[in-house]
Amino acid sequence: MALKYCQGPECHKHKTKDRIKGMKGSKSYQTRRRSSFYYGNDNFCSLNCQNDWFNKYGDQAIDHYGRTTEAKHLTQDNAWVKDWNYPSGDYMGSENRQYIYVNGITKEQRPLTEEQYRDKSYTLNTGE
Ligand SMILES: [Zn+2]
């Protein structure tokens, strides 16, 4: 797996032993490099680094993608949430899961196939 760098703009300034790299005589604290990261959608080595990024770029990012300027509303048109459960009394393994769509406003339930459950683009929601 390819290695990638933490996107935290101050990563190299958080002084930990694992960040010290380089040959004797020219060692320095360096940006962490890993095959995967736990934070910020696999972009940051720590919450500190994620917060550093937001403190530096967050306002620009919000302005770029559109600042929320009025309240959004949860209605029956956008309250569908995917969920799964086991048929009553059966807790034996994931092959017996039943996948469902649940409307958080009306409480209506509709059956889902496993494929629909895993398909991130499949939705019953018609609003944001
Ligand atoms: Zn970092």
Side-chain angles (χ1 to χ4, degrees):
M1 198 180 237
L3 296 178
K4 57 188 178 181
Y5 289 102
C6 170
Q7 295 302 301
E10 311 288 327
C11 190
H12 59 295
K13 294 180 182 174
H14 297 293
K15 294 192 279 184
T16 59
K17 280 187 178 168
D18 72 290
R19 286 180 170 94
I20 300 173
K21 304 282 180 191
M23 305 291 280
K24 199 171 185 182
S26 62
K27 288 187 185 300
S28 65
Y29 291 99
Q30 298 183 17
T31 302
R32 275 182 173 152
R33 197 179 187 203
R34 303 275 158 76
S35 58
S36 67
F37 295 112
Y38 288 114
Y39 301 96
N41 205 19
D42 200 18
N43 285 301
F44 301 99
C45 74
S46 66
L47 271 182
N48 277 336
C49 282
Q50 182 179 312
N51 289 338
D52 290 341
W53 188 94
F54 195 87
N55 288 338
K56 189 168 184 181
Y57 301 115
D59 281 331
Q60 285 173 255
I62 290 171
D63 285 335
H64 178 79
Y65 290 106
R67 194 166 283 272
T68 297
T69 56
E70 56 188 33
K72 296 177 180 178
H73 299 266
L74 184 67
T75 68
Q76 63 181 3
D77 295 329
N78 62 356
W80 290 101
V81 177
K82 291 176 181 177
D83 199 2
W84 59 267
N85 58 32
Y86 292 113
S88 53
D90 179 4
Y91 300 98
M92 304 299 289
S94 61
E95 68 270 18
N96 296 317
R97 282 182 185 177
Q98 286 180 335
Y99 297 93
I100 51 173
Y101 236 139
V102 182
N103 192 295
I105 296 295
T106 64
K107 308 300 178 197
E108 180 186 347
Q109 295 189 7
R110 294 188 191 170
L112 274 178
T113 66
E114 183 172 350
E115 194 175 11
Q116 289 168 335
Y117 177 84
R118 298 192 188 290
D119 181 355
K120 287 194 167 83
S121 65
Y122 181 81
T123 183
L124 296 177
N125 291 318
T126 55
E128 225 183 297

PDB file of all heavy atoms in Angstrom, residues 8-10 14 39-40 44 46-58:
ATOM      1  N   GLY A   8      -2.160  17.634   7.889  1.00  0.00           N
ATOM      2  CA  GLY A   8      -2.113  18.680   8.905  1.00  0.00           C
ATOM      3  C   GLY A   8      -0.969  19.649   8.617  1.00  0.00           C
ATOM      4  O   GLY A   8       0.180  19.228   8.500  1.00  0.00           O
ATOM      5  N   PRO A   9      -1.289  20.951   8.505  1.00  0.00           N
ATOM      6  CA  PRO A   9      -0.247  21.929   8.151  1.00  0.00           C
ATOM      7  C   PRO A   9       0.805  22.109   9.237  1.00  0.00           C
ATOM      8  O   PRO A   9       1.888  22.639   8.975  1.00  0.00           O
ATOM      9  CB  PRO A   9      -1.041  23.224   7.906  1.00  0.00           C
ATOM     10  CG  PRO A   9      -2.304  23.050   8.689  1.00  0.00           C
ATOM     11  CD  PRO A   9      -2.607  21.578   8.653  1.00  0.00           C
ATOM     12  N   GLU A  10       0.511  21.665  10.456  1.00  0.00           N
ATOM     13  CA  GLU A  10       1.454  21.806  11.570  1.00  0.00           C
ATOM     14  C   GLU A  10       1.967  20.454  12.060  1.00  0.00           C
ATOM     15  O   GLU A  10       2.563  20.375  13.134  1.00  0.00           O
ATOM     16  CB  GLU A  10       0.773  22.526  12.743  1.00  0.00           C
ATOM     17  CG  GLU A  10       0.033  23.797  12.395  1.00  0.00           C
ATOM     18  CD  GLU A  10       0.978  24.940  12.067  1.00  0.00           C
ATOM     19  OE1 GLU A  10       2.074  24.975  12.674  1.00  0.00           O
ATOM     20  OE2 GLU A  10       0.627  25.764  11.206  1.00  0.00           O
ATOM     21  N   HIS A  14       4.324  19.158  15.833  1.00  0.00           N
ATOM     22  CA  HIS A  14       3.950  18.392  17.025  1.00  0.00           C
ATOM     23  C   HIS A  14       5.108  17.438  17.316  1.00  0.00           C
ATOM     24  O   HIS A  14       5.291  16.433  16.630  1.00  0.00           O
ATOM     25  CB  HIS A  14       2.647  17.616  16.787  1.00  0.00           C
ATOM     26  CG  HIS A  14       1.468  18.508  16.531  1.00  0.00           C
ATOM     27  ND1 HIS A  14       0.942  19.351  17.489  1.00  0.00           N
ATOM     28  CD2 HIS A  14       0.719  18.706  15.419  1.00  0.00           C
ATOM     29  CE1 HIS A  14      -0.088  20.021  16.983  1.00  0.00           C
ATOM     30  NE2 HIS A  14      -0.239  19.647  15.730  1.00  0.00           N
ATOM     31  N   TYR A  39      -8.184   9.670  11.067  1.00  0.00           N
ATOM     32  CA  TYR A  39      -8.996  10.880  11.230  1.00  0.00           C
ATOM     33  C   TYR A  39      -9.254  11.599   9.905  1.00  0.00           C
ATOM     34  O   TYR A  39      -8.495  11.467   8.945  1.00  0.00           O
ATOM     35  CB  TYR A  39      -8.303  11.842  12.214  1.00  0.00           C
ATOM     36  CG  TYR A  39      -8.097  11.205  13.557  1.00  0.00           C
ATOM     37  CD1 TYR A  39      -6.877  10.606  13.882  1.00  0.00           C
ATOM     38  CD2 TYR A  39      -9.133  11.162  14.482  1.00  0.00           C
ATOM     39  CE1 TYR A  39      -6.697   9.982  15.111  1.00  0.00           C
ATOM     40  CE2 TYR A  39      -8.955  10.541  15.719  1.00  0.00           C
ATOM     41  CZ  TYR A  39      -7.740   9.953  16.021  1.00  0.00           C
ATOM     42  OH  TYR A  39      -7.581   9.340  17.233  1.00  0.00           O
ATOM     43  N   GLY A  40     -10.344  12.363   9.907  1.00  0.00           N
ATOM     44  CA  GLY A  40     -10.652  13.227   8.770  1.00  0.00           C
ATOM     45  C   GLY A  40     -10.702  12.494   7.455  1.00  0.00           C
ATOM     46  O   GLY A  40     -10.028  12.889   6.503  1.00  0.00           O
ATOM     47  N   PHE A  44      -5.770  12.635   8.142  1.00  0.00           N
ATOM     48  CA  PHE A  44      -5.016  13.230   9.250  1.00  0.00           C
ATOM     49  C   PHE A  44      -4.571  12.172  10.256  1.00  0.00           C
ATOM     50  O   PHE A  44      -5.333  11.241  10.550  1.00  0.00           O
ATOM     51  CB  PHE A  44      -5.876  14.279   9.962  1.00  0.00           C
ATOM     52  CG  PHE A  44      -6.321  15.384   9.054  1.00  0.00           C
ATOM     53  CD1 PHE A  44      -7.589  15.367   8.503  1.00  0.00           C
ATOM     54  CD2 PHE A  44      -5.459  16.418   8.729  1.00  0.00           C
ATOM     55  CE1 PHE A  44      -8.007  16.377   7.639  1.00  0.00           C
ATOM     56  CE2 PHE A  44      -5.855  17.434   7.875  1.00  0.00           C
ATOM     57  CZ  PHE A  44      -7.126  17.412   7.331  1.00  0.00           C
ATOM     58  N   SER A  46      -4.036  12.660  13.426  1.00  0.00           N
ATOM     59  CA  SER A  46      -4.574  12.898  14.761  1.00  0.00           C
ATOM     60  C   SER A  46      -5.659  13.961  14.692  1.00  0.00           C
ATOM     61  O   SER A  46      -5.762  14.694  13.703  1.00  0.00           O
ATOM     62  CB  SER A  46      -3.469  13.383  15.706  1.00  0.00           C
ATOM     63  OG  SER A  46      -3.016  14.664  15.297  1.00  0.00           O
ATOM     64  N   LEU A  47      -6.450  14.053  15.770  1.00  0.00           N
ATOM     65  CA  LEU A  47      -7.450  15.123  15.831  1.00  0.00           C
ATOM     66  C   LEU A  47      -6.779  16.479  15.892  1.00  0.00           C
ATOM     67  O   LEU A  47      -7.296  17.450  15.353  1.00  0.00           O
ATOM     68  CB  LEU A  47      -8.345  14.937  17.066  1.00  0.00           C
ATOM     69  CG  LEU A  47      -9.588  14.062  16.877  1.00  0.00           C
ATOM     70  CD1 LEU A  47     -10.377  14.026  18.178  1.00  0.00           C
ATOM     71  CD2 LEU A  47     -10.457  14.549  15.729  1.00  0.00           C
ATOM     72  N   ASN A  48      -5.580  16.566  16.529  1.00  0.00           N
ATOM     73  CA  ASN A  48      -4.847  17.827  16.545  1.00  0.00           C
ATOM     74  C   ASN A  48      -4.564  18.303  15.129  1.00  0.00           C
ATOM     75  O   ASN A  48      -4.759  19.471  14.800  1.00  0.00           O
ATOM     76  CB  ASN A  48      -3.511  17.670  17.293  1.00  0.00           C
ATOM     77  CG  ASN A  48      -3.692  17.803  18.792  1.00  0.00           C
ATOM     78  OD1 ASN A  48      -4.634  18.420  19.262  1.00  0.00           O
ATOM     79  ND2 ASN A  48      -2.776  17.196  19.542  1.00  0.00           N
ATOM     80  N   CYS A  49      -4.086  17.372  14.275  1.00  0.00           N
ATOM     81  CA  CYS A  49      -3.757  17.753  12.903  1.00  0.00           C
ATOM     82  C   CYS A  49      -5.019  18.131  12.121  1.00  0.00           C
ATOM     83  O   CYS A  49      -5.003  19.050  11.310  1.00  0.00           O
ATOM     84  CB  CYS A  49      -2.990  16.635  12.207  1.00  0.00           C
ATOM     85  SG  CYS A  49      -1.246  16.593  12.701  1.00  0.00           S
ATOM     86  N   GLN A  50      -6.126  17.410  12.375  1.00  0.00           N
ATOM     87  CA  GLN A  50      -7.378  17.768  11.707  1.00  0.00           C
ATOM     88  C   GLN A  50      -7.824  19.170  12.144  1.00  0.00           C
ATOM     89  O   GLN A  50      -8.235  19.986  11.311  1.00  0.00           O
ATOM     90  CB  GLN A  50      -8.451  16.737  12.063  1.00  0.00           C
ATOM     91  CG  GLN A  50      -9.781  16.981  11.375  1.00  0.00           C
ATOM     92  CD  GLN A  50     -10.811  15.915  11.742  1.00  0.00           C
ATOM     93  OE1 GLN A  50     -10.512  14.729  11.687  1.00  0.00           O
ATOM     94  NE2 GLN A  50     -11.988  16.341  12.108  1.00  0.00           N
ATOM     95  N   ASN A  51      -7.705  19.453  13.444  1.00  0.00           N
ATOM     96  CA  ASN A  51      -8.089  20.781  13.940  1.00  0.00           C
ATOM     97  C   ASN A  51      -7.171  21.866  13.383  1.00  0.00           C
ATOM     98  O   ASN A  51      -7.636  22.961  13.053  1.00  0.00           O
ATOM     99  CB  ASN A  51      -8.062  20.809  15.465  1.00  0.00           C
ATOM    100  CG  ASN A  51      -9.201  19.997  16.068  1.00  0.00           C
ATOM    101  OD1 ASN A  51     -10.209  19.760  15.420  1.00  0.00           O
ATOM    102  ND2 ASN A  51      -9.015  19.573  17.311  1.00  0.00           N
ATOM    103  N   ASP A  52      -5.864  21.567  13.271  1.00  0.00           N
ATOM    104  CA  ASP A  52      -4.932  22.541  12.686  1.00  0.00           C
ATOM    105  C   ASP A  52      -5.365  22.912  11.274  1.00  0.00           C
ATOM    106  O   ASP A  52      -5.329  24.079  10.872  1.00  0.00           O
ATOM    107  CB  ASP A  52      -3.509  21.969  12.629  1.00  0.00           C
ATOM    108  CG  ASP A  52      -2.880  21.826  14.008  1.00  0.00           C
ATOM    109  OD1 ASP A  52      -3.359  22.473  14.965  1.00  0.00           O
ATOM    110  OD2 ASP A  52      -1.893  21.055  14.116  1.00  0.00           O
ATOM    111  N   TRP A  53      -5.747  21.872  10.499  1.00  0.00           N
ATOM    112  CA  TRP A  53      -6.180  22.126   9.120  1.00  0.00           C
ATOM    113  C   TRP A  53      -7.408  23.018   9.122  1.00  0.00           C
ATOM    114  O   TRP A  53      -7.482  23.999   8.381  1.00  0.00           O
ATOM    115  CB  TRP A  53      -6.501  20.807   8.409  1.00  0.00           C
ATOM    116  CG  TRP A  53      -6.759  20.987   6.944  1.00  0.00           C
ATOM    117  CD1 TRP A  53      -5.859  20.857   5.931  1.00  0.00           C
ATOM    118  CD2 TRP A  53      -8.017  21.357   6.323  1.00  0.00           C
ATOM    119  NE1 TRP A  53      -6.466  21.121   4.720  1.00  0.00           N
ATOM    120  CE2 TRP A  53      -7.790  21.431   4.927  1.00  0.00           C
ATOM    121  CE3 TRP A  53      -9.288  21.631   6.808  1.00  0.00           C
ATOM    122  CZ2 TRP A  53      -8.797  21.771   4.019  1.00  0.00           C
ATOM    123  CZ3 TRP A  53     -10.293  21.983   5.915  1.00  0.00           C
ATOM    124  CH2 TRP A  53     -10.041  22.045   4.533  1.00  0.00           C
ATOM    125  N   PHE A  54      -8.384  22.692   9.984  1.00  0.00           N
ATOM    126  CA  PHE A  54      -9.622  23.472   9.982  1.00  0.00           C
ATOM    127  C   PHE A  54      -9.361  24.904  10.430  1.00  0.00           C
ATOM    128  O   PHE A  54      -9.916  25.848   9.860  1.00  0.00           O
ATOM    129  CB  PHE A  54     -10.711  22.829  10.837  1.00  0.00           C
ATOM    130  CG  PHE A  54     -12.057  23.432  10.548  1.00  0.00           C
ATOM    131  CD1 PHE A  54     -12.835  22.943   9.525  1.00  0.00           C
ATOM    132  CD2 PHE A  54     -12.490  24.547  11.257  1.00  0.00           C
ATOM    133  CE1 PHE A  54     -14.046  23.543   9.204  1.00  0.00           C
ATOM    134  CE2 PHE A  54     -13.708  25.148  10.940  1.00  0.00           C
ATOM    135  CZ  PHE A  54     -14.481  24.651   9.922  1.00  0.00           C
ATOM    136  N   ASN A  55      -8.509  25.074  11.442  1.00  0.00           N
ATOM    137  CA  ASN A  55      -8.215  26.430  11.908  1.00  0.00           C
ATOM    138  C   ASN A  55      -7.583  27.268  10.807  1.00  0.00           C
ATOM    139  O   ASN A  55      -7.818  28.464  10.705  1.00  0.00           O
ATOM    140  CB  ASN A  55      -7.292  26.388  13.134  1.00  0.00           C
ATOM    141  CG  ASN A  55      -8.030  25.883  14.368  1.00  0.00           C
ATOM    142  OD1 ASN A  55      -9.256  25.938  14.444  1.00  0.00           O
ATOM    143  ND2 ASN A  55      -7.280  25.353  15.329  1.00  0.00           N
ATOM    144  N   LYS A  56      -6.780  26.621   9.938  1.00  0.00           N
ATOM    145  CA  LYS A  56      -6.093  27.367   8.879  1.00  0.00           C
ATOM    146  C   LYS A  56      -6.962  27.538   7.633  1.00  0.00           C
ATOM    147  O   LYS A  56      -6.940  28.594   7.011  1.00  0.00           O
ATOM    148  CB  LYS A  56      -4.789  26.641   8.516  1.00  0.00           C
ATOM    149  CG  LYS A  56      -3.896  27.446   7.579  1.00  0.00           C
ATOM    150  CD  LYS A  56      -2.505  26.834   7.469  1.00  0.00           C
ATOM    151  CE  LYS A  56      -1.605  27.716   6.606  1.00  0.00           C
ATOM    152  NZ  LYS A  56      -0.253  27.147   6.458  1.00  0.00           N
ATOM    153  N   TYR A  57      -7.712  26.491   7.254  1.00  0.00           N
ATOM    154  CA  TYR A  57      -8.424  26.512   5.969  1.00  0.00           C
ATOM    155  C   TYR A  57      -9.940  26.431   6.067  1.00  0.00           C
ATOM    156  O   TYR A  57     -10.632  26.535   5.040  1.00  0.00           O
ATOM    157  CB  TYR A  57      -7.951  25.340   5.097  1.00  0.00           C
ATOM    158  CG  TYR A  57      -6.485  25.337   4.810  1.00  0.00           C
ATOM    159  CD1 TYR A  57      -5.664  24.316   5.294  1.00  0.00           C
ATOM    160  CD2 TYR A  57      -5.908  26.348   4.042  1.00  0.00           C
ATOM    161  CE1 TYR A  57      -4.305  24.307   5.021  1.00  0.00           C
ATOM    162  CE2 TYR A  57      -4.545  26.346   3.766  1.00  0.00           C
ATOM    163  CZ  TYR A  57      -3.755  25.318   4.263  1.00  0.00           C
ATOM    164  OH  TYR A  57      -2.413  25.305   3.997  1.00  0.00           O
ATOM    165  N   GLY A  58     -10.497  26.208   7.257  1.00  0.00           N
ATOM    166  CA  GLY A  58     -11.917  25.942   7.396  1.00  0.00           C
ATOM    167  C   GLY A  58     -12.819  27.023   6.821  1.00  0.00           C
ATOM    168  O   GLY A  58     -13.762  26.723   6.083  1.00  0.00           O
TER     169      GLY A  58
END
